[in-house]
């Protein structure tokens, strides 16, 4: 079993910023791709951003230019810096990890953290 510990969610006004954090074990972090997904109310879960062990990133079109995913190898932590937040960014955000050789469908999920963007 893989344990992912998330933090950083909360309430923010439109145009504001939040940074989400997800801590994994050293063994998982050193070999796995890390990603952030979100699930807005009444909608399906979608990929927001991902980052490989080599630093290659992928973003959903809706967040390009506003969100940045990064990883800190010394802290076994992946971050999602969210700037210029919009009400439509409101969702439960989930950290996910998977082995590149197996693919995301075989990954493990964090518990989720609520992000609410409202004035």
């Amino acid at each position: 079993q893989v344990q992912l510990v998330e933090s950083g969610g909360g309430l923010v006004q439109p145009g504001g910023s939040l940074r989400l954090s997800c801590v994994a074990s050293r063994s998982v972090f050193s070999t796995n791709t890390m990603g952030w997904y979100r699930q807005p109310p009444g909608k399906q879960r979608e990929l927001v951003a991902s980052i490989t062990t080599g630093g290659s990133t992928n973003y959903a079109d809706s967040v390009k230019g506003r969100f940045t995913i990064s990883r800190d190898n010394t802290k076994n932590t992946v971050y999602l810096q969210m700037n210029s937040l919009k009400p439509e960014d409101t969702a439960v955000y989930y950290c996910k990890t998977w082995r590149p050789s197996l693919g995301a469908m075989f990954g493990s999920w964090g518990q989720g953290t609520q992000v609410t963007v409202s004035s």
Side-chain angles (χ1 to χ4, degrees):
Q1 296 183 339
V2 176
Q3 185 176 17
L4 303 175
V5 182
E6 302 176 346
S7 62
L11 174 65
V12 65
Q13 292 186 324
S17 299
L18 285 173
R19 188 178 73 165
L20 306 182
S21 300
C22 176
V23 182
S25 67
R26 178 203 56 78
S27 60
V28 167
F29 194 82
S30 65
T31 59
N32 283 18
T33 299
M34 306 293 296
W36 288 98
Y37 289 70
R38 68 185 182 186
Q39 187 165 20
K43 295 186 176 182
Q44 292 186 324
R45 195 172 300 183
E46 64 180 359
L47 176 68
V48 176
S50 64
I51 185 167
T52 67
T53 56
S56 179
T57 58
N58 182 50
Y59 296 94
D61 288 341
S62 59
V63 306
K64 286 181 179 178
R66 299 188 298 121
F67 291 10
T68 302
I69 189 171
S70 61
R71 57 195 297 160
D72 186 333
N73 294 332
T74 66
K75 298 180 179 179
N76 302 322
T77 301
V78 62
Y79 302 96
L80 185 67
Q81 178 66 47
M82 304 184 292
N83 299 326
S84 302
L85 283 162
K86 305 174 181 179
E88 50 263 45
D89 295 318
T90 296
V92 178
Y93 284 71
Y94 297 90
C95 183
K96 188 179 184 179
T97 185
W98 64 91
R99 291 184 177 273
S101 60
L102 298 179
M105 68 176 295
F106 295 99
S108 298
W109 296 93
Q111 79 284 359
T113 183
Q114 177 70 48
V115 172
T116 302
V117 184
S118 177
S119 59

